[in-house]
Structure formats: structure tokens, C-alpha cells
Amino acid sequence: MTALKVTFWVCLFLVFYTYVGYGMLIWLLVRLKRIVRGKAEQKALPADDSLPHVTFLVCAYNEQDVVEMKMENIRQLDYPSDKLHIMWVTDGSSDNTNEYLKAYPEVQVVYSPERRGKTAALNHGISQVKSEITVMTDANTLVNCEAIREIVRCMQDPKVGCVAGEKRVMARHDGQAAAEGEGLYWKYESALKRLDSEFYSAMGAAGELNAIRTNIYEPMPENALLDDFVMSMKMVQQGYKIAYTSNAYAMEYGSADLTEESKRKRRIAAGGLQSSWWLHSMMNPFRYPVVAFQFVSHRVLRWSITPIAMMALIPLNVALVMMKGGTIYTIIWILQIVFYLASFCGYQLEQHGRKNKLLYVPYYFLFMNINVFRGMHYLRNHKGGGTWEKAKRG
């Protein structure tokens, strides 16, 4: 029974640490850092005549429906027009995206008829960039007008190789479960990124809005499923930091429903496992002492061991209750039953177009972890290409 108890407590610790404990620990470490070193001062933004040239790069596959919206948003960006270069990479597009872009003479279109996926498109597009900084964003996102100035301000720190903007999820109507669940997740994720960045470096940048120093970009394998994460972490591997800023943000609608959201979660989980393997050297605490701690705690555990530990708690807890291991195991088992019943009720309400926030939180949490297992299956059957089916947005 001793081995069973030890395994149970290890699994319980992993679940608690991954989803709650790390957030508490990194918050405490940041507070201690501020006491010892003081809060870091923000870098000043150069005058307009000293601002660097920036390329605003959009990767788009069959995005004719959002060209007008995106270009209107780009034209509202607060940055000198002579220093802002617009590039659309439309590799493989078979709709009228390229035709629609002809209406915008300021746009440089980079196109190849073969569709090889977003990573290949990024490699292709960035190879054509001449500016010092490249800002990347998805075609279906709206970026705040101050975003580029904020990114350039962050880049005034020579140790920063990448800037991660904030992702904000919009719902088209109240009760849109997938969008609201995704939005809740990203609020927590944004808080962790902000703390990670202040402690040392954010652990990855999201494709909705990020920026890099163009000259340190390393072309990525075309079968990368999380191109934005691999790209940004490769820069940390080179010795640079990822700065996170909520003052540069991208807004997009959440997935149309949880079926569509599951497509995203599966791919992200598969990409997380793939990139964890590719970047496994960064888990070496002797070579990357701080990064290894942040990378494993914030990313690797939730993509690999912790979901398995969470599922293992069920049979382990049942066995310990049956073997009369002690009152504490009965209490934890009752709490597990309450959690899964709440998740099931949240699922039932969502299926009938209704939602209770108290019940939806455990449901969405369980939904995310189930999709890690689906991601494992996705990766095992992945044929090596860089293309994937896009999730429909609400």
C-alpha cells in the first residue's frame, strides 16, 4: 500500500503544481525579485525619425473573406507609413485572396502555388523581409493601433529577441461556450506569461501577435505544428528573452463551438509534445537553469505527464478507499466525484445551449485535458506535413 500512496500523492502534487502551484510560485518569485532588485524600468520609445523599419507580416491561406477587414485594421496602425512595410504570404491560396490584395498597392504579396502549411509560409515570407523587426499576426485578428510602437519599445532592450503580444478572445453573443471558455483560459495564460516575462522570459509567443528580430530567425522544419512556439523558444535557446506585453494585443472571435475548439486543442497538444521533444535540451537545468524551470513547469508538464497523472488519480483513489487507506483518501475521492459531476452537468447544460459559469469551469478544464490525449493520437498519426484543418470561428 505504501507504493500506492506514494504514487497517489505524486500524481496529486503534479496536478496541483501544474495548474495552480506554479502560478503561485512564480508570483512569489516575482515579488521577491522586485524586493531585491526593484521593478524593472520600461524602456523609452525612440523619436519618430529614429524608429526602426518594421515589416507587418500576415500568413493567409484562402482568407478572401477577411482581407478588407484586415487591411482596414492595418491602415489604422499608429506607425510612420514610410517605416511600416506590409507583407502577405498567401502560399497555396486557391480563392481570390491575391486578387483582393491587388486593391492595396502598399502590400507586398509573397506567393507560391504549393500549399505546404504555415511554417513553410513563414520560412518563405521571412526570407524576403528586409526590415530589422518582423511583426507577425493572423489574418483573422484585429490588432490595437498602438501595438507596433509598444513592440518596438520592448525591442529597445537588446536582450529581447521576441515580443509576445496578448491574445484577447471575443464572443459574438452571450453564452457562446467555446469562446467564453477559451477567453477564460487565455486570461489565466496571459497572467502567467506576464509573470514569466518579469521573472526572466515568457515561455513562447502566440501566433495571433508576436514580433522578432528578423536577423536571428532560424528557418523551422515544415512539419512544425506550433510554429510560433518553436520559433520563439529557439530565440530563448540562442540566449535572448521573450518579452510579454499586454499593451500590444490581438482580438479574434473564439471557436464556433466546442467541436471546432477541440480541433485547435488537439493540434496545440500535439504541437506541444512535438516541440517539447525538439526543444528537450532546454530542460537541462545545468545548461538552462532558469529556463528549464519555467519551460517544464509552464509548458512541458501540461502537455505530457500531468493529464496522465490526473486520470491516474481516479483508479488510485478508488483502490486506496477500497483498501481503507485512511479518511483523507475518502475525502479526496468525494471531492473528485463532485468535480466530475460538476463537469458532466456543465457538459449537459452546454449541449442544451445553456451555461452556468460555476459548472462550466470544471467542464472546460476537463475538456482541455481530454484533448491532450487526442493530441497524442493526432501526433502519432501525423504524416509529417505542416498543413492542418482550420477551426471555424464564431
Side-chain angles (χ1 to χ4, degrees):
M1 187 186 290
T2 301
L4 204 62
K5 287 183 176 180
V6 170
T7 306
F8 174 84
W9 287 108
V10 168
C11 289
L12 189 61
F13 171 78
L14 281 171
V15 173
F16 174 80
Y17 178 74
T18 301
Y19 300 116
V20 180
Y22 176 66
M24 296 169 62
L25 179 58
I26 197 70
W27 179 87
L28 179 61
L29 291 173
V30 167
R31 292 301 181 277
L32 290 174
K33 183 180 178 182
R34 288 180 183 176
I35 292 171
V36 175
R37 299 187 181 180
K39 193 168 183 178
E41 293 184 6
Q42 286 193 341
K43 300 291 183 180
L45 185 71
D48 280 10
D49 58 354
S50 300
L51 288 171
H53 285 259
V54 173
T55 295
F56 194 85
L57 188 151
V58 181
C59 282
Y61 169 70
N62 286 353
E63 295 284 9
Q64 64 178 28
D65 294 339
V66 299
V67 167
E68 183 178 355
M69 175 198 75
K70 187 68 175 181
M71 286 306 303
E72 181 180 348
N73 178 235
I74 291 173
R75 285 179 166 177
Q76 292 175 355
L77 294 173
D78 178 21
Y79 205 77
S81 58
D82 61 323
K83 294 189 175 183
L84 181 61
H85 312 279
I86 315 301
M87 177 185 291
W88 283 62
V89 184
T90 60
D91 287 1
S93 291
S94 55
D95 65 352
N96 291 317
T97 299
N98 290 337
E99 289 299 315
Y100 286 11
L101 287 170
K102 289 180 180 178
Y104 304 95
E106 68 269 35
V107 173
Q108 176 187 357
V109 177
V110 175
Y111 174 71
S112 172
E114 184 181 358
R115 184 192 179 198
R116 302 200 309 274
K118 186 181 176 182
T119 307
L122 278 175
N123 289 339
H124 185 194
I126 294 178
S127 70
Q128 308 296 312
V129 172
K130 303 294 192 296
S131 59
E132 178 185 340
I133 296 172
T134 303
V135 177
M136 287 160 280
T137 180
D138 289 342
N140 63 337
T141 60
L142 297 174
V143 177
N144 65 309
C145 61
E146 304 87 6
I148 297 183
R149 287 184 180 270
E150 174 64 13
I151 286 167
V152 169
R153 185 193 63 73
C154 293
M155 287 285 191
Q156 297 310 296
D157 183 348
K159 296 178 181 178
V160 172
C162 175
V163 177
E166 183 170 278
K167 174 180 175 178
R168 300 184 182 180
V169 180
M170 302 179 290
R172 290 190 187 274
H173 51 80
D174 290 338
Q176 188 178 351
E180 293 185 11
E182 187 184 352
L184 182 67
Y185 165 78
W186 274 104
K187 286 178 182 177
Y188 178 64
E189 183 64 19
S190 295
L192 285 182
K193 284 187 175 184
R194 185 161 49 249
L195 291 167
D196 275 340
S197 178
E198 187 173 349
F199 183 63
Y200 178 71
S201 170
M203 290 293 105
E208 286 77 11
L209 179 61
N210 65 78
I212 61 169
R213 295 188 189 277
T214 310
N215 65 340
I216 62 173
Y217 177 80
E218 293 183 4
M220 295 174 288
E222 293 185 3
N223 63 331
L225 293 170
L226 282 186
D227 49 89
D228 44 10
F229 182 76
V230 174
M231 174 192 69
S232 55
M233 290 300 288
K234 283 282 188 182
M235 294 178 179
V236 176
Q237 200 171 38
Q238 293 180 55
Y240 292 92
K241 297 179 182 180
I242 302 170
Y244 175 81
T245 175
S246 59
N247 293 325
Y249 57 87
M251 299 175 291
E252 69 174 355
Y253 289 108
S255 300
D257 52 46
L258 286 169
T259 300
E260 296 299 317
E261 177 67 358
S262 182
K263 293 178 185 178
R264 291 185 62 256
K265 294 298 184 190
R266 285 200 304 269
R267 180 179 62 81
I268 290 170
L273 285 167
Q274 181 192 61
S275 55
S276 294
W277 175 250
W278 286 355
L279 300 167
H280 67 274
S281 65
M282 297 180 72
M283 301 180 210
N284 184 343
F286 299 103
R287 187 175 179 186
Y288 303 97
V290 179
V291 171
F293 158 66
Q294 291 184 278
F295 183 34
V296 172
S297 298
H298 189 167
R299 296 298 188 183
V300 178
L301 288 177
R302 67 170 65 175
W303 286 330
S304 56
I305 302 171
T306 301
I308 296 172
M310 181 178 168
M311 293 298 111
L313 281 172
I314 300 172
L316 287 169
N317 206 167
V318 170
L320 287 166
V321 170
M322 297 290 289
M323 296 168 68
K324 301 186 186 303
T327 306
I328 185 65
Y329 300 104
T330 303
I331 294 171
I332 294 173
W333 177 234
I334 292 170
L335 292 174
Q336 284 210 73
I337 292 172
V338 170
F339 169 78
Y340 285 107
L341 281 175
S343 300
F344 180 73
C345 291
Y347 167 74
Q348 288 294 320
L349 287 173
E350 189 274 330
Q351 291 295 300
H352 291 87
R354 297 159 59 197
K355 195 185 72 165
N356 178 292
K357 290 186 178 181
L358 187 63
L359 298 175
Y360 189 73
V361 170
Y363 167 51
Y364 192 80
F365 177 77
L366 186 59
F367 167 82
M368 288 190 345
N369 279 279
I370 288 172
N371 277 288
V372 172
F373 292 97
R374 291 174 175 169
M376 293 175 183
H377 179 73
Y378 181 104
L379 184 61
R380 186 177 64 186
N381 296 311
H382 185 54
K383 303 302 180 183
T387 61
W388 62 78
E389 182 185 359
K390 292 189 293 185
K392 296 176 183 177
R393 294 288 173 176

